[in-house]
Amino acid sequence: MKANVKSSTLKKSVQQPTITGADRGPRPAGVPALELETLQDTEEEHFAIIPKDAAGKIVPGDLTGLSMSWGSPASTQTQQCFATEMKDSAVVSALDKGESLQLSYRVQTQRSPLSSHKPNLDSSHFSCKITAQTNYNQSNTVRPNSKMRDAEELTEDRKLQAVIEQVMVDQLSRAVISDPEQNAVSVSPTSVPLRYRRTLHHTKVKTRMSLTENILSNKLCFQARILSRCGREACRKLIGFFFTCDQTLTVYEYRNFGKNRWNALPFITRGVYLNGGRPYCLQDIYQGAELRFCTDGPHLPQSLRQQPCLTLRVTDVDDTAKRALVTQSGETLHRLSKEELSDQNTLKEIQGAVRDRLKGHAVRTLINLGRDLQTLHLKSDWIQQKELLRRSLMEQLCLTQQDFEAVWRIVSRRAEGRVHPADVMRAVTGEMSENRKAVFLKVYVKLDPNKTGSIFLSDTEKFYRGKQESDAALKADLNPDFLAFVREAGKVTKTVSYAEFEDYYEGLSIEIPDDEEYISNLRATWSI
């Protein structure tokens, strides 16, 4: 019933009286005539045009519809198309919403081949549209990457400021009355316990070690990471501070607890730490430097306490603040001894020769060395570990007995006798630069956001955007395809460990000498 009412109403609205020239009147002299035939409409819509004679008056006809202003006579095709549209709209209005959408789509598809009236558009119009669309697509692909990187830099700055505030709060929160220096001087030689000897009258208002915000402001901030083959430890975000007022050093860890909760927790307690028998100074902190600590700290996790030594690699330093602090403190430049210079030159020569021999098969060789290291962890005797490591390096890298003994002696001297097999392999083959390592860690954290230490094969196949080869490439090619490598590594567990993931990209770093090319390859492969 409602459909009949709507259709009748529509018919009434369509059957309007014809508009005559007397009703509208002639075109004013100051108004130019409209040339509707020159208009170009890309959507191919057809509107009714009121015909007029040579005098400019409207010619009465059978065409009904919307009243238009002055223009040229409409063709027969236009009138037919308009009549067809009016019939279609009358039918569509008589149906419900869901059926009208389907019918309108059906009507458009049926009518499109019949309508031969097309606007006269030249090829330049379409070429301009295609060029504009291409430029828009290119700008859309570039802008999100730049915006993403700007957002990452802003997030890193906020993290750094949050850690600095937390460090200042922790260092200034201790009251002077509870300073351990208050108990340095005994009041009486009685046998009373130390905490009862001092009275309020013997308490100092300010101790020698009491700190203020101005004193703590003279600090050097740096970022570091743990040298480890465990993904959980290697992905820890560490921020360190060196205070020039007393040559002390502390390291904090920035940790996320869920999406919106974070905290800066102490990782290494503030104190004076030695480097080869002398305290650390400003000259010891630079990008690529290694800071070694004992593993008996109160804030270290249990997994790190089992290691003989904790080694941190400095990844970023504020060089401007460092130069200002060196000038302010008047610290003299620390020069390396002849023995240290000799050790550096020896390692550079060995690494250069080894990396030259690895060209063309670096990925596969480092993967095999990493698997040999996993078997070495099962050996408790360090003498047996040394012998197995020597055989592996001599077999895989063609390393001589003399070079192996030289590397072992240098690593043992630096680590004060606490040698780890991974440190020896790292000293022989070298490592990628810190700029490359930063992008590599971003890729790994994307695949392992919970930092469990392993990656699922499903996640690697989901995010991988590089070339894909068959599994046979792993046996035929000296440098296997990544997907073929992870599929073989995760046959049983369906996961790939951080160490295996790192070995693959360490080998790829040897094959690609240019930093920009290597970083661009990582970003394009994993869409970061």
Side-chain angles (χ1 to χ4, degrees):
M1 186 63 184
K2 291 183 179 180
N4 295 333
V5 173
K6 289 183 179 180
S7 59
S8 61
T9 305
L10 184 60
K11 291 180 180 179
K12 292 179 180 180
S13 61
V14 171
Q15 297 175 357
Q16 295 177 355
T18 306
I19 301 175
T20 61
D23 297 334
R24 182 171 296 280
R27 174 172 60 86
V31 179
L34 294 179
E35 299 178 357
L36 299 180
E37 67 275 4
T38 61
L39 297 180
Q40 299 177 354
D41 195 351
T42 58
E43 296 180 357
E44 301 184 8
E45 294 181 357
H46 307 283
F47 296 96
I49 301 176
I50 305 299
K52 65 185 183 70
D53 56 7
K57 295 184 179 181
I58 298 175
V59 178
D62 298 332
L63 182 63
T64 59
L66 299 177
S67 60
M68 299 285 294
S69 182
W70 310 275
S72 59
S75 61
T76 308
Q77 280 184 334
T78 306
Q79 297 179 9
Q80 293 176 356
C81 292
F82 178 77
T84 306
E85 288 178 0
M86 295 304 296
K87 291 180 181 179
D88 294 341
S89 61
V91 175
V92 169
S93 62
L95 302 175
D96 56 355
K97 186 175 181 180
E99 294 179 353
S100 64
L101 293 176
Q102 298 177 1
L103 184 59
S104 62
Y105 174 77
R106 231 178 272 124
V107 168
Q108 290 292 339
T109 54
Q110 292 175 359
R111 193 177 56 199
S112 56
L114 296 178
S115 70
S116 60
H117 178 71
K118 295 182 179 179
N120 185 16
L121 298 178
D122 54 353
S123 60
S124 61
H125 178 77
F126 291 103
S127 62
C128 293
K129 286 190 68 176
I130 294 174
T131 305
Q133 184 67 23
T134 305
N135 296 334
Y136 176 77
N137 293 336
Q138 291 178 354
S139 63
N140 266 0
T141 57
V142 173
R143 287 177 183 173
N145 292 334
S146 60
K147 290 182 179 180
M148 187 182 301
R149 294 178 187 177
D150 294 341
E152 289 179 358
E153 292 178 359
L154 181 60
T155 303
E156 293 297 326
D157 293 340
R158 289 178 178 176
K159 289 180 181 179
L160 181 59
Q161 292 298 326
V163 175
I164 292 175
E165 293 177 1
Q166 186 64 39
V167 170
M168 298 295 288
V169 169
D170 291 346
Q171 300 300 324
L172 296 174
S173 61
R174 187 176 64 184
V176 179
I177 196 173
S178 61
D179 196 316
E181 190 180 348
Q182 298 283 3
N183 298 325
V185 181
S186 58
V187 179
S188 59
T190 58
S191 58
V192 181
L194 189 60
R195 59 176 179 170
Y196 295 113
R197 293 180 187 178
R198 177 166 55 90
T199 61
L200 184 61
H201 299 284
H202 297 90
T203 301
K204 298 179 181 180
V205 177
K206 182 179 180 181
T207 60
R208 183 178 58 87
M209 298 296 294
S210 60
L211 302 174
T212 61
E213 188 173 355
N214 292 332
I215 294 176
L216 292 178
S217 62
N218 297 324
K219 62 182 180 300
L220 176 63
C221 179
F222 61 92
Q223 299 186 25
R225 61 181 178 89
I226 301 175
L227 293 183
S228 175
R229 291 179 62 84
C230 176
R232 186 182 295 104
E233 311 301 340
C235 293
R236 292 182 184 270
K237 185 172 182 58
L238 303 179
I239 301 177
F241 299 90
F242 181 83
F243 300 96
T244 59
C245 59
D246 51 3
Q247 304 295 306
T248 56
L249 186 147
T250 183
V251 178
Y252 273 65
E253 179 186 4
Y254 185 92
R255 295 186 61 181
N256 289 328
F257 299 92
K259 290 185 178 180
N260 301 322
R261 184 167 171 248
W262 65 269
N263 200 357
L265 303 177
F267 192 75
I268 295 178
T269 310
R270 179 168 171 261
V272 179
Y273 296 93
L274 302 180
N275 177 28
R278 62 175 181 82
Y280 279 109
C281 60
L282 286 173
Q283 303 295 336
D284 296 326
I285 302 174
Y286 55 90
Q287 187 178 25
E290 293 183 2
L291 308 178
R292 293 178 176 83
F293 304 91
C294 296
T295 55
D296 55 354
H299 303 295
L300 294 180
Q302 190 65 30
S303 58
L304 291 177
R305 293 184 184 182
Q306 299 174 358
Q307 301 296 330
C309 179
L310 173 64
T311 305
L312 302 185
R313 174 70 57 81
V314 179
T315 59
D316 191 18
V317 182
D318 189 354
D319 293 330
T320 304
K322 180 181 178 180
R323 287 192 295 267
L325 290 174
V326 170
T327 305
Q328 180 182 357
S329 62
E331 182 178 318
T332 58
L333 181 62
H334 174 67
R335 299 185 181 276
L336 298 177
S337 61
K338 293 182 179 180
E339 187 178 14
E340 292 175 341
L341 289 175
S342 177
D343 293 344
Q344 285 188 356
N345 295 331
T346 301
L347 288 181
K348 286 182 180 179
E349 292 178 0
I350 294 176
Q351 289 177 5
V354 168
R355 294 172 80 90
D356 289 340
R357 289 195 297 266
L358 286 176
K359 287 294 180 65
H361 55 90
V363 175
R364 179 174 291 281
T365 303
L366 291 188
I367 289 173
N368 295 333
L369 281 176
R371 291 170 181 171
D372 293 342
L373 280 180
Q374 292 179 355
T375 60
L376 289 178
H377 289 299
L378 303 177
K379 309 294 182 181
S380 58
D381 188 2
W382 70 272
I383 299 178
Q384 191 176 4
Q385 286 184 354
K386 179 180 178 181
E387 181 63 22
L388 293 176
L389 181 62
R390 181 186 65 82
R391 292 179 183 177
S392 178
L393 293 178
M394 292 179 65
E395 179 183 354
Q396 300 286 345
L397 305 178
C398 300
L399 195 68
T400 63
Q401 176 74 21
Q402 183 180 359
D403 290 343
F404 175 79
E405 292 296 338
V407 172
W408 185 276
R409 184 179 63 255
I410 294 172
V411 174
S412 177
R413 185 186 299 118
R414 291 181 176 180
E416 298 179 357
R418 296 165 291 187
V419 181
H420 195 278
D423 297 335
V424 178
M425 192 191 78
R426 196 180 297 114
V428 172
T429 59
E431 287 186 281
M432 67 177 75
S433 63
E434 291 304 319
N435 294 332
R436 299 187 182 196
K437 199 72 173 184
V439 182
F440 165 79
L441 290 176
K442 286 183 179 180
V443 171
Y444 181 80
V445 172
K446 179 179 181 178
L447 300 176
D448 184 18
N450 296 326
K451 301 177 183 179
T452 60
S454 59
I455 306 171
F456 289 102
L457 293 184
S458 58
D459 291 335
T460 59
E461 295 175 354
K462 174 183 177 182
F463 292 107
Y464 187 71
R465 294 294 180 269
K467 64 175 184 178
Q468 300 185 12
E469 300 177 359
S470 61
D471 295 341
L474 184 60
K475 300 179 181 180
D477 195 2
L478 295 177
N479 285 325
D481 174 61
F482 178 79
L483 286 183
F485 155 68
V486 297
R487 285 166 183 165
E488 188 202 32
K491 279 183 179 179
V492 180
T493 60
K494 301 300 180 182
T495 58
V496 179
S497 65
Y498 170 83
E500 294 172 328
F501 193 76
E502 183 185 36
D503 291 337
Y504 181 90
Y505 278 101
E506 284 287 355
L508 191 63
S509 179
I510 296 176
E511 300 291 349
I512 304 177
D514 186 57
D515 283 349
E516 293 184 0
E517 182 181 356
Y518 181 83
I519 293 174
S520 300
N521 186 10
L522 273 178
R523 292 187 180 276
T525 303
W526 299 102
S527 302
I528 61 171

